[in-house]
Short mmCIF file of all heavy atoms in Angstrom, two decimals:
data_model
loop_
_atom_site.label_atom_id
_atom_site.label_comp_id
_atom_site.label_asym_id
_atom_site.label_seq_id
_atom_site.Cartn_x
_atom_site.Cartn_y
_atom_site.Cartn_z
N ASP A 170 -16.03 -6.93 -25.06
CA ASP A 170 -14.90 -7.88 -25.34
C ASP A 170 -13.98 -7.13 -26.34
O ASP A 170 -12.82 -7.36 -26.23
CB ASP A 170 -15.54 -9.19 -25.87
CG ASP A 170 -16.19 -9.94 -24.78
OD1 ASP A 170 -15.84 -9.79 -23.51
OD2 ASP A 170 -17.03 -10.75 -25.08
N ASP A 171 -14.54 -6.62 -27.36
CA ASP A 171 -13.73 -6.02 -28.42
C ASP A 171 -12.88 -4.78 -27.78
O ASP A 171 -11.81 -4.66 -28.02
CB ASP A 171 -14.67 -5.51 -29.47
CG ASP A 171 -13.79 -4.85 -30.64
OD1 ASP A 171 -12.96 -5.51 -31.22
OD2 ASP A 171 -14.05 -3.60 -30.97
N MET A 172 -13.66 -4.02 -26.98
CA MET A 172 -12.85 -2.87 -26.36
C MET A 172 -11.78 -3.31 -25.49
O MET A 172 -10.68 -2.78 -25.46
CB MET A 172 -13.96 -1.97 -25.56
CG MET A 172 -13.32 -0.83 -24.90
SD MET A 172 -14.52 0.18 -24.06
CE MET A 172 -14.92 -0.86 -22.78
N THR A 173 -12.05 -4.39 -24.68
CA THR A 173 -11.04 -4.96 -23.79
C THR A 173 -9.81 -5.51 -24.61
O THR A 173 -8.60 -5.09 -24.19
CB THR A 173 -11.55 -6.02 -23.03
OG1 THR A 173 -12.74 -5.62 -22.17
CG2 THR A 173 -10.54 -6.66 -21.94
N ALA A 174 -10.11 -6.07 -25.57
CA ALA A 174 -8.99 -6.59 -26.35
C ALA A 174 -8.14 -5.41 -27.01
O ALA A 174 -6.85 -5.53 -27.06
CB ALA A 174 -9.45 -7.45 -27.64
N LYS A 175 -8.79 -4.37 -27.49
CA LYS A 175 -8.07 -3.21 -28.09
C LYS A 175 -7.24 -2.66 -27.00
O LYS A 175 -6.03 -2.22 -27.24
CB LYS A 175 -9.03 -2.30 -28.57
CG LYS A 175 -9.70 -2.81 -29.96
CD LYS A 175 -10.62 -1.70 -30.54
CE LYS A 175 -11.31 -2.22 -31.77
NZ LYS A 175 -12.26 -1.31 -32.40
N VAL A 176 -7.77 -2.49 -25.72
CA VAL A 176 -6.98 -1.71 -24.64
C VAL A 176 -5.77 -2.62 -24.27
O VAL A 176 -4.68 -2.18 -24.09
CB VAL A 176 -7.89 -1.48 -23.42
CG1 VAL A 176 -7.11 -0.99 -22.36
CG2 VAL A 176 -9.10 -0.44 -23.88
N LEU A 177 -5.95 -3.92 -24.22
CA LEU A 177 -4.92 -4.79 -23.67
C LEU A 177 -3.81 -4.90 -24.85
O LEU A 177 -2.61 -4.91 -24.56
CB LEU A 177 -5.41 -6.20 -23.48
CG LEU A 177 -6.11 -6.41 -22.20
CD1 LEU A 177 -6.77 -7.76 -22.16
CD2 LEU A 177 -5.38 -5.99 -20.94
N SER A 178 -4.28 -4.69 -26.11
CA SER A 178 -3.17 -4.60 -27.17
C SER A 178 -2.25 -3.46 -27.14
O SER A 178 -1.21 -3.47 -27.64
CB SER A 178 -3.98 -4.84 -28.50
OG SER A 178 -4.61 -5.92 -28.64
N LEU A 179 -2.86 -2.39 -26.55
CA LEU A 179 -2.01 -1.18 -26.43
C LEU A 179 -1.19 -1.16 -25.11
O LEU A 179 -0.08 -0.43 -25.02
CB LEU A 179 -2.96 0.01 -26.32
CG LEU A 179 -3.70 0.35 -27.56
CD1 LEU A 179 -4.63 1.52 -27.32
CD2 LEU A 179 -2.63 0.68 -28.75
N LEU A 180 -1.57 -1.99 -24.02
CA LEU A 180 -0.96 -2.13 -22.87
C LEU A 180 0.33 -2.88 -22.99
O LEU A 180 1.19 -2.91 -22.03
CB LEU A 180 -1.78 -2.57 -21.72
CG LEU A 180 -2.93 -1.59 -21.25
CD1 LEU A 180 -3.81 -2.27 -20.24
CD2 LEU A 180 -2.31 -0.34 -20.80
N TYR A 181 0.41 -3.87 -23.86
CA TYR A 181 1.61 -4.72 -23.99
C TYR A 181 2.13 -4.74 -25.37
O TYR A 181 1.50 -4.38 -26.35
CB TYR A 181 1.09 -6.19 -23.69
CG TYR A 181 0.74 -6.41 -22.30
CD1 TYR A 181 -0.62 -6.16 -21.82
CD2 TYR A 181 1.71 -6.85 -21.41
CE1 TYR A 181 -0.88 -6.29 -20.47
CE2 TYR A 181 1.54 -7.02 -19.98
CZ TYR A 181 0.17 -6.67 -19.55
OH TYR A 181 -0.11 -6.93 -18.17
N GLU A 182 3.43 -5.08 -25.42
CA GLU A 182 4.22 -5.25 -26.63
C GLU A 182 5.08 -6.42 -26.59
O GLU A 182 5.37 -6.92 -25.47
CB GLU A 182 5.05 -4.00 -26.98
CG GLU A 182 6.08 -3.63 -25.92
CD GLU A 182 6.72 -2.35 -26.04
OE1 GLU A 182 6.36 -1.57 -26.96
OE2 GLU A 182 7.58 -2.03 -25.31
N TYR A 183 5.52 -6.92 -27.72
CA TYR A 183 6.44 -8.09 -27.62
C TYR A 183 7.79 -7.86 -27.10
O TYR A 183 8.29 -6.68 -27.35
CB TYR A 183 6.57 -8.79 -29.12
CG TYR A 183 5.24 -9.46 -29.49
CD1 TYR A 183 4.39 -8.97 -30.48
CD2 TYR A 183 5.03 -10.77 -28.94
CE1 TYR A 183 3.29 -9.56 -31.00
CE2 TYR A 183 3.87 -11.41 -29.42
CZ TYR A 183 2.92 -10.80 -30.41
OH TYR A 183 1.82 -11.54 -30.78
N SER A 184 8.22 -8.66 -26.30
CA SER A 184 9.62 -8.57 -25.58
C SER A 184 10.62 -8.59 -26.70
O SER A 184 11.73 -7.90 -26.48
CB SER A 184 9.73 -9.55 -24.54
OG SER A 184 8.64 -9.59 -23.66
N ASP A 185 10.58 -9.38 -27.71
CA ASP A 185 11.60 -9.48 -28.67
C ASP A 185 11.57 -8.20 -29.61
O ASP A 185 10.57 -7.92 -30.31
CB ASP A 185 11.33 -10.73 -29.62
CG ASP A 185 12.44 -10.94 -30.56
OD1 ASP A 185 13.41 -10.15 -30.61
OD2 ASP A 185 12.46 -12.05 -31.16
N ALA A 186 12.61 -7.35 -29.52
CA ALA A 186 12.73 -6.19 -30.22
C ALA A 186 12.58 -6.44 -31.75
O ALA A 186 12.34 -5.41 -32.48
CB ALA A 186 14.11 -5.48 -29.87
N SER A 187 13.02 -7.54 -32.23
CA SER A 187 12.96 -7.77 -33.68
C SER A 187 11.53 -8.19 -34.07
O SER A 187 11.31 -8.23 -35.32
CB SER A 187 13.85 -8.92 -34.03
OG SER A 187 13.31 -10.21 -33.27
N GLU A 188 10.62 -8.35 -33.25
CA GLU A 188 9.25 -8.68 -33.61
C GLU A 188 8.56 -7.34 -34.04
O GLU A 188 8.47 -6.33 -33.43
CB GLU A 188 8.39 -9.11 -32.36
CG GLU A 188 6.95 -9.47 -32.73
CD GLU A 188 6.93 -10.75 -33.51
OE1 GLU A 188 7.43 -11.79 -33.08
OE2 GLU A 188 6.46 -10.64 -34.67
N GLU A 189 8.19 -7.44 -35.43
CA GLU A 189 7.64 -6.18 -36.10
C GLU A 189 6.11 -6.05 -35.94
O GLU A 189 5.56 -5.00 -35.90
CB GLU A 189 7.98 -6.24 -37.51
CG GLU A 189 9.42 -6.19 -37.81
CD GLU A 189 9.70 -6.15 -39.26
OE1 GLU A 189 8.80 -6.29 -40.13
OE2 GLU A 189 10.91 -6.10 -39.68
N ARG A 190 5.30 -7.20 -35.77
CA ARG A 190 3.95 -7.14 -35.58
C ARG A 190 3.53 -6.55 -34.23
O ARG A 190 4.19 -6.89 -33.34
CB ARG A 190 3.37 -8.48 -35.88
CG ARG A 190 3.72 -9.57 -34.96
CD ARG A 190 3.30 -10.87 -35.51
NE ARG A 190 3.78 -11.95 -34.63
CZ ARG A 190 3.04 -12.60 -33.71
NH1 ARG A 190 1.80 -12.18 -33.45
NH2 ARG A 190 3.56 -13.53 -32.94
N ALA A 191 2.39 -5.94 -34.16
CA ALA A 191 1.85 -5.39 -32.81
C ALA A 191 1.14 -6.66 -32.12
O ALA A 191 0.63 -7.56 -32.71
CB ALA A 191 0.90 -4.39 -33.18
N PHE A 192 1.18 -6.38 -30.88
CA PHE A 192 0.59 -7.44 -30.03
C PHE A 192 -0.94 -7.49 -30.26
O PHE A 192 -1.47 -6.34 -30.22
CB PHE A 192 0.88 -7.27 -28.50
CG PHE A 192 0.17 -8.20 -27.71
CD1 PHE A 192 0.34 -9.63 -27.66
CD2 PHE A 192 -0.74 -7.65 -26.67
CE1 PHE A 192 -0.40 -10.40 -26.75
CE2 PHE A 192 -1.39 -8.50 -25.84
CZ PHE A 192 -1.31 -9.86 -25.92
N ASP A 193 -1.63 -8.51 -30.36
CA ASP A 193 -3.10 -8.61 -30.62
C ASP A 193 -3.69 -9.46 -29.52
O ASP A 193 -3.55 -10.63 -29.55
CB ASP A 193 -3.39 -9.18 -32.06
CG ASP A 193 -4.87 -9.16 -32.26
OD1 ASP A 193 -5.62 -8.54 -31.51
OD2 ASP A 193 -5.30 -9.76 -33.21
N ALA A 194 -4.44 -8.78 -28.52
CA ALA A 194 -5.11 -9.58 -27.44
C ALA A 194 -6.44 -10.15 -27.85
O ALA A 194 -7.01 -10.91 -27.07
CB ALA A 194 -5.35 -8.61 -26.24
N ALA A 195 -6.86 -10.00 -29.13
CA ALA A 195 -8.20 -10.50 -29.43
C ALA A 195 -8.21 -11.90 -29.53
O ALA A 195 -9.31 -12.60 -29.43
CB ALA A 195 -8.57 -9.84 -30.89
N ARG A 196 -7.11 -12.58 -29.81
CA ARG A 196 -7.02 -14.05 -29.92
C ARG A 196 -6.98 -14.77 -28.54
O ARG A 196 -7.00 -16.08 -28.47
CB ARG A 196 -5.84 -14.47 -30.65
CG ARG A 196 -4.44 -13.96 -30.10
CD ARG A 196 -3.24 -14.32 -30.90
NE ARG A 196 -2.09 -13.81 -30.38
CZ ARG A 196 -1.30 -14.32 -29.50
NH1 ARG A 196 -1.74 -15.53 -29.01
NH2 ARG A 196 -0.13 -13.85 -29.04
N LEU A 197 -6.89 -14.00 -27.43
CA LEU A 197 -6.67 -14.63 -26.14
C LEU A 197 -8.02 -14.96 -25.49
O LEU A 197 -9.05 -14.31 -25.81
CB LEU A 197 -6.01 -13.65 -25.18
CG LEU A 197 -4.54 -13.14 -25.62
CD1 LEU A 197 -4.09 -12.19 -24.55
CD2 LEU A 197 -3.65 -14.36 -25.76
N ASP A 198 -8.00 -16.03 -24.61
CA ASP A 198 -9.23 -16.31 -23.89
C ASP A 198 -9.46 -15.37 -22.78
O ASP A 198 -8.54 -14.49 -22.40
CB ASP A 198 -9.27 -17.81 -23.48
CG ASP A 198 -8.08 -18.06 -22.43
OD1 ASP A 198 -7.64 -17.26 -21.84
OD2 ASP A 198 -7.70 -19.28 -22.58
N SER A 199 -10.56 -15.54 -22.08
CA SER A 199 -10.91 -14.58 -20.92
C SER A 199 -9.89 -14.72 -19.82
O SER A 199 -9.54 -13.74 -19.15
CB SER A 199 -12.24 -14.81 -20.38
OG SER A 199 -12.49 -16.26 -20.01
N ASP A 200 -9.39 -15.97 -19.48
CA ASP A 200 -8.37 -16.04 -18.49
C ASP A 200 -7.09 -15.29 -18.71
O ASP A 200 -6.56 -14.69 -17.76
CB ASP A 200 -8.06 -17.52 -18.12
CG ASP A 200 -9.28 -18.28 -17.53
OD1 ASP A 200 -10.20 -17.59 -16.94
OD2 ASP A 200 -9.36 -19.56 -17.70
N ASP A 201 -6.54 -15.47 -19.86
CA ASP A 201 -5.47 -14.66 -20.20
C ASP A 201 -5.59 -13.20 -20.22
O ASP A 201 -4.75 -12.41 -19.81
CB ASP A 201 -4.90 -15.15 -21.63
CG ASP A 201 -4.10 -16.50 -21.59
OD1 ASP A 201 -3.81 -17.02 -20.43
OD2 ASP A 201 -3.94 -16.99 -22.60
N ARG A 202 -6.84 -12.82 -20.71
CA ARG A 202 -6.99 -11.28 -20.65
C ARG A 202 -7.06 -10.77 -19.31
O ARG A 202 -6.58 -9.67 -19.01
CB ARG A 202 -8.35 -11.08 -21.33
CG ARG A 202 -8.38 -11.24 -22.81
CD ARG A 202 -9.60 -10.86 -23.54
NE ARG A 202 -9.74 -11.30 -24.95
CZ ARG A 202 -10.67 -10.92 -25.84
NH1 ARG A 202 -11.74 -10.22 -25.27
NH2 ARG A 202 -10.75 -11.24 -27.01
N LEU A 203 -7.73 -11.53 -18.27
CA LEU A 203 -7.77 -11.15 -17.06
C LEU A 203 -6.37 -11.10 -16.41
O LEU A 203 -6.04 -10.07 -15.69
CB LEU A 203 -8.68 -12.02 -16.15
CG LEU A 203 -8.82 -11.75 -14.67
CD1 LEU A 203 -9.36 -10.31 -14.43
CD2 LEU A 203 -9.70 -12.76 -14.02
N ALA A 204 -5.72 -12.01 -16.67
CA ALA A 204 -4.22 -12.03 -16.10
C ALA A 204 -3.38 -10.81 -16.64
O ALA A 204 -2.67 -10.24 -15.89
CB ALA A 204 -3.45 -13.33 -16.43
N LEU A 205 -3.54 -10.47 -17.92
CA LEU A 205 -2.86 -9.24 -18.47
C LEU A 205 -3.36 -8.05 -17.68
O LEU A 205 -2.52 -7.14 -17.49
CB LEU A 205 -3.08 -9.16 -19.94
CG LEU A 205 -2.41 -10.37 -20.84
CD1 LEU A 205 -2.49 -9.98 -22.25
CD2 LEU A 205 -0.93 -10.62 -20.34
N ALA A 206 -4.62 -7.85 -17.46
CA ALA A 206 -5.22 -6.67 -16.88
C ALA A 206 -4.58 -6.59 -15.41
O ALA A 206 -4.12 -5.53 -15.03
CB ALA A 206 -6.70 -6.75 -16.78
N LYS A 207 -4.50 -7.71 -14.70
CA LYS A 207 -4.00 -7.73 -13.35
C LYS A 207 -2.52 -7.28 -13.35
O LYS A 207 -2.01 -6.74 -12.37
CB LYS A 207 -4.19 -9.06 -12.73
CG LYS A 207 -5.48 -9.53 -12.46
CD LYS A 207 -5.64 -11.06 -11.85
CE LYS A 207 -6.88 -11.40 -11.42
NZ LYS A 207 -6.97 -12.72 -10.87
N ALA A 208 -1.80 -7.74 -14.35
CA ALA A 208 -0.32 -7.60 -14.29
C ALA A 208 0.22 -6.22 -14.79
O ALA A 208 1.27 -5.92 -14.42
CB ALA A 208 0.38 -8.48 -15.31
N HIS A 209 -0.60 -5.41 -15.45
CA HIS A 209 -0.18 -4.14 -15.87
C HIS A 209 -0.09 -3.05 -14.77
O HIS A 209 -1.00 -2.92 -13.97
CB HIS A 209 -0.99 -3.64 -17.03
CG HIS A 209 -0.34 -2.46 -17.89
ND1 HIS A 209 -0.24 -1.26 -17.48
CD2 HIS A 209 0.38 -2.79 -18.99
CE1 HIS A 209 0.50 -0.66 -18.44
NE2 HIS A 209 0.88 -1.51 -19.38
N PRO A 210 0.97 -2.24 -14.74
CA PRO A 210 1.23 -1.26 -13.78
C PRO A 210 0.21 -0.28 -13.68
O PRO A 210 -0.20 0.33 -12.68
CB PRO A 210 2.54 -0.59 -14.08
CG PRO A 210 3.25 -1.67 -14.87
CD PRO A 210 2.18 -2.48 -15.66
N LEU A 211 -0.58 0.10 -14.92
CA LEU A 211 -1.67 1.10 -14.96
C LEU A 211 -2.79 0.57 -14.02
O LEU A 211 -3.41 1.37 -13.33
CB LEU A 211 -2.08 1.24 -16.44
CG LEU A 211 -3.13 2.26 -16.57
CD1 LEU A 211 -2.80 3.60 -16.19
CD2 LEU A 211 -3.61 2.31 -18.03
N VAL A 212 -3.18 -0.65 -14.25
CA VAL A 212 -4.27 -1.30 -13.50
C VAL A 212 -3.98 -1.23 -11.87
O VAL A 212 -4.79 -0.85 -11.09
CB VAL A 212 -4.55 -2.64 -13.88
CG1 VAL A 212 -5.67 -3.22 -12.91
CG2 VAL A 212 -4.99 -2.68 -15.46
N ARG A 213 -2.77 -1.59 -11.59
CA ARG A 213 -2.19 -1.49 -10.16
C ARG A 213 -2.43 -0.08 -9.68
O ARG A 213 -2.82 0.12 -8.53
CB ARG A 213 -0.86 -1.97 -10.11
CG ARG A 213 -0.22 -1.76 -8.66
CD ARG A 213 1.26 -2.18 -8.61
NE ARG A 213 1.47 -3.57 -8.52
CZ ARG A 213 1.45 -4.26 -7.47
NH1 ARG A 213 1.24 -3.59 -6.26
NH2 ARG A 213 1.54 -5.57 -7.39
N GLU A 214 -1.91 0.93 -10.41
CA GLU A 214 -1.93 2.32 -9.85
C GLU A 214 -3.33 2.78 -9.76
O GLU A 214 -3.64 3.39 -8.67
CB GLU A 214 -1.17 3.15 -10.82
CG GLU A 214 0.34 3.06 -10.82
CD GLU A 214 0.85 3.28 -9.42
OE1 GLU A 214 0.60 4.36 -8.82
OE2 GLU A 214 1.61 2.46 -8.94
N ILE A 215 -4.20 2.49 -10.66
CA ILE A 215 -5.60 2.86 -10.61
C ILE A 215 -6.16 2.20 -9.41
O ILE A 215 -6.98 2.91 -8.60
CB ILE A 215 -6.40 2.57 -11.90
CG1 ILE A 215 -5.93 3.37 -12.96
CG2 ILE A 215 -7.92 2.68 -11.64
CD1 ILE A 215 -6.58 2.97 -14.30
N SER A 216 -5.92 0.93 -9.10
CA SER A 216 -6.52 0.26 -7.98
C SER A 216 -6.10 0.79 -6.79
O SER A 216 -6.85 1.09 -5.80
CB SER A 216 -6.08 -1.30 -8.00
OG SER A 216 -6.60 -1.99 -6.95
#
C-alpha cells in the first residue's frame, strides 16, 4: 500500500501550475488509487 501510494504520487502532479506542494496519493482510498493506475499512460503502454 505504501509503495503504491509513492508510485502514484510520482505519476501525477497538480494541474494548477501555481500549486507548489507535491501530489500525495497516500490519502486516497483504494478506489481512487485504482482509478489513477488505470488512467496513466504508463500503465496503458505496459498493458
Side-chain angles (χ1 to χ4, degrees):
D170 289 336
D171 180 60
M172 182 177 70
T173 301
K175 289 181 178 179
V176 171
L177 289 175
S178 298
L179 293 173
L180 290 177
Y181 288 89
E182 59 189 5
Y183 284 107
S184 303
D185 189 349
S187 64
E188 183 66 66
E189 296 182 358
R190 61 191 176 101
F192 174 64
D193 183 11
R196 60 186 176 83
L197 303 180
D198 60 27
S199 58
D200 290 338
D201 281 347
R202 291 185 186 185
L203 178 59
L205 295 189
K207 291 179 177 180
H209 199 278
L211 179 63
V212 176
R213 170 186 284 272
E214 287 302 309
I215 291 175
S216 175

